[in-house]
Amino acid sequence: MKRIVITGQGTINALGRNVSETLEAMREGRCGISNLEFQDVERLSIRIGAQVKGYEPDKTFNRQQIALYDRFTQFTLIAAREAITQSGLTFSGELAARSGVVLGTSGGGMNTLDENYRSVYEDGKNRVHPFVVPKLMNNAAASHVSMEWNLKGPSFTVATACASSNHAMGQAMQMIRTGMADVMVTGGSEAMLCFGGIKAWEGLRVMSKDACRPFSANRNGMVQGEGSAVFVFEEYEHAKARGAEILAEVVGFAMTSDAADIVMPSKQGASRAIAGAMRDARLNPEDVCYINAHGTGTAANDKTECAAVADAFGHHADELMISSTKSMHGHLIGGTGAVELLACIMALRDGVIAPTIGYEEPDPECALDVVPNVARDVKVGAVLSNAFAFGGLNAVLALRAH
């Protein structure tokens, strides 16, 4: 069975415009959540989010590109550029044919939807831009990545709500493992921080008005973020032959369905996904040192996830470190697992465990080591990344130090 390694990573999110800035913020436990800035924000009851502040598209893209790229696509292309540059790969000939892209998103071109609904319904206009459909479609980012870097292999988008990125990266891993591709560009992106995006989420009553405090007894909801993270997954022998720098090895993946409730999480479904990822990776519970948790900051998610971890790990759960970086970069919905994978790679390469910031009060239903408020220097060999989505869709990745 073929091995899969990561040879490039890139990002843009509320913590940083690249990987180094993002990891520095995670080490420092810096919060990227602040007051939202966009049209009609005063009409919202939720006015905070992890927004990419000061972002100017025309500094990176020309006018024709901006007309075709929604904000989520722009973020993806920025992150992909950093990841592919780091990998050192050039896609031509046979390699182009054996390289593809699979990305995760939930909202897709939400900003384009919001702008054009406003134009038609509020401003009374009878015509929209001819590129509205190709701009808002969920596969837009994957398609533009494939076109910009000449990736002619499997290319598509996964949309499974908050598990989209992990599902996408799991599919990328399996395509290389089975020999369908040698290289896959993968990850996820989201840009739902606009009036319509937040207004829809307000209706669920799961959003916090003041802060994201995962696992803390006084947590009161999730906080949305935006951005993208993209990785280059590569077949190990291919990477080794060209002398590539290897960031980490992707060793396991599992996905399950709760088949129970559209919004309430299930301990059994999450636990099966965690156990399945370890089984696929051939890891024993005691081999895993750290879990980047789904950890949304909602009452139901956090206690259910802790119960699932305890169920999957047994006595070893007390020895694990488990943290939620959503407390810093917010919940990027379909893109969140990708940004969280950066923290997993940092743990393996640098021996730094990103903290759960905003933690104020212990919760007996979340009685695990949640690495509260301050990063920890610990050498680790294997980690998991959890993603549990509305619809009861669970996806867990396992990584190992190379």
Side-chain angles (χ1 to χ4, degrees):
M1 192 163 57
K2 295 180 183 294
R3 295 168 63 187
I4 299 90
V5 294
I6 301 174
T7 56
Q9 58 182 347
T11 191
I12 176 172
N13 61 81
L15 296 179
R17 301 299 176 91
N18 53 48
V19 171
S20 62
E21 289 180 5
T22 299
L23 298 187
E24 181 183 2
M26 287 182 176
R27 290 186 193 100
E28 294 177 357
R30 195 184 311 152
C31 186
I33 297 167
S34 61
N35 291 330
L36 291 169
E37 297 174 1
F38 50 69
Q39 187 174 352
D40 288 337
V41 69
E42 68 279 357
R43 293 177 55 196
L44 298 170
S45 60
I46 301 298
R47 300 180 186 179
I48 62 167
Q51 196 170 17
V52 180
K53 294 287 183 70
Y55 172 66
E56 299 179 72
D58 56 3
K59 300 292 186 186
T60 305
F61 304 102
N62 62 40
R63 188 169 60 180
Q64 288 76 21
Q65 290 171 322
I66 291 170
L68 195 55
Y69 300 164
D70 182 87
R71 189 175 175 95
F72 96 104
T73 296
Q74 295 172 27
F75 288 158
T76 306
L77 290 168
I78 290 168
R81 190 169 300 154
E82 182 182 11
I84 293 170
T85 297
Q86 182 181 24
S87 77
L89 287 165
T90 300
F91 299 97
S92 60
E94 181 65 17
L95 181 59
R98 292 191 53 77
S99 300
V101 52
V102 53
L103 298 171
T105 190
S106 180
M110 181 64 73
N111 273 265
T112 297
L113 277 171
D114 195 54
E115 291 163 6
N116 285 278
Y117 277 135
R118 187 190 304 277
S119 175
V120 171
Y121 291 122
E122 186 173 315
D123 300 339
K125 294 183 179 179
N126 292 321
R127 184 179 299 173
V128 297
H129 196 283
F131 288 159
V132 165
V133 169
K135 191 174 181 180
L136 64 80
M137 60 191 188
N138 281 25
N139 64 297
S143 295
H144 285 297
V145 168
S146 73
M147 289 184 282
E148 182 157 335
W149 282 280
N150 196 37
L151 306 172
K152 297 182 177 180
S155 296
F156 60 98
T157 296
V158 176
T160 51
C162 311
S164 300
S165 287
N166 272 23
H167 273 119
M169 293 186 289
Q171 293 302 301
M173 169 195 175
Q174 290 177 339
M175 286 182 177
I176 298 172
R177 180 184 271 180
T178 59
M180 188 179 291
D182 292 327
V183 177
M184 292 295 293
V185 176
T186 187
S189 178
E190 205 74 90
M192 296 175 70
L193 299 185
C194 58
F195 176 77
I198 298 296
K199 179 56 72 177
W201 277 89
E202 282 183 354
L204 283 167
R205 300 181 182 179
V206 295
M207 305 274 282
S208 173
K209 293 183 178 182
D210 57 0
C212 182
R213 292 182 285 267
F215 307 118
S216 187
N218 63 339
R219 63 189 182 277
N220 62 358
M222 56 174 273
V223 176
Q224 279 204 46
E226 65 176 1
S228 175
V230 173
F231 303 88
V232 176
F233 282 18
E234 188 170 353
E235 194 272 321
Y236 171 66
E237 294 297 337
H238 187 274
K240 181 181 175 183
R242 67 185 188 87
E245 179 187 10
I246 293 173
L247 306 179
E249 184 172 0
V250 189
V251 291
F253 174 63
M255 46 188 169
T256 65
S257 175
D258 295 347
D261 192 277
I262 198 68
V263 292
M264 290 298 293
S266 157
K267 179 188 83 171
Q268 290 77 17
S271 176
R272 287 191 298 112
I274 293 168
M278 287 193 290
R279 186 167 55 249
D280 186 49
R282 300 180 182 179
L283 292 171
N284 297 315
E286 57 270 19
D287 296 328
V288 179
C289 305
Y290 169 63
I291 299 176
N292 186 287
H294 191 58
T296 61
T298 63
N301 174 89
D302 293 5
K303 69 179 182 181
T304 302
E305 183 168 16
C306 286
V309 169
D311 185 62
F313 281 88
H315 295 303
H316 184 61
D318 293 332
E319 307 300 320
L320 281 169
M321 295 172 287
I322 171 171
S323 72
S324 172
T325 52
K326 287 182 179 70
S327 56
M328 293 181 274
H329 54 65
H331 192 343
L332 280 72
I333 315 301
T336 200
V339 173
E340 289 162 354
L341 201 73
L342 297 168
C344 292
I345 295 171
M346 179 175 73
L348 293 170
R349 280 176 60 80
D350 304 331
V352 177
I353 306 300
T356 304
I357 70 167
Y359 186 85
E360 296 175 350
E361 300 176 25
D363 181 348
E365 292 190 287
C366 300
L368 299 176
D369 179 3
V370 299
V371 194
N373 299 315
V374 179
R376 201 172 292 171
D377 294 326
V378 182
K379 185 176 178 59
V380 299
V383 304
L384 300 183
S385 179
N386 288 348
F388 309 131
F390 280 173
L393 307 181
N394 312 301
V396 178
L397 287 160
L399 278 72
R400 189 169 56 200
H402 179 72

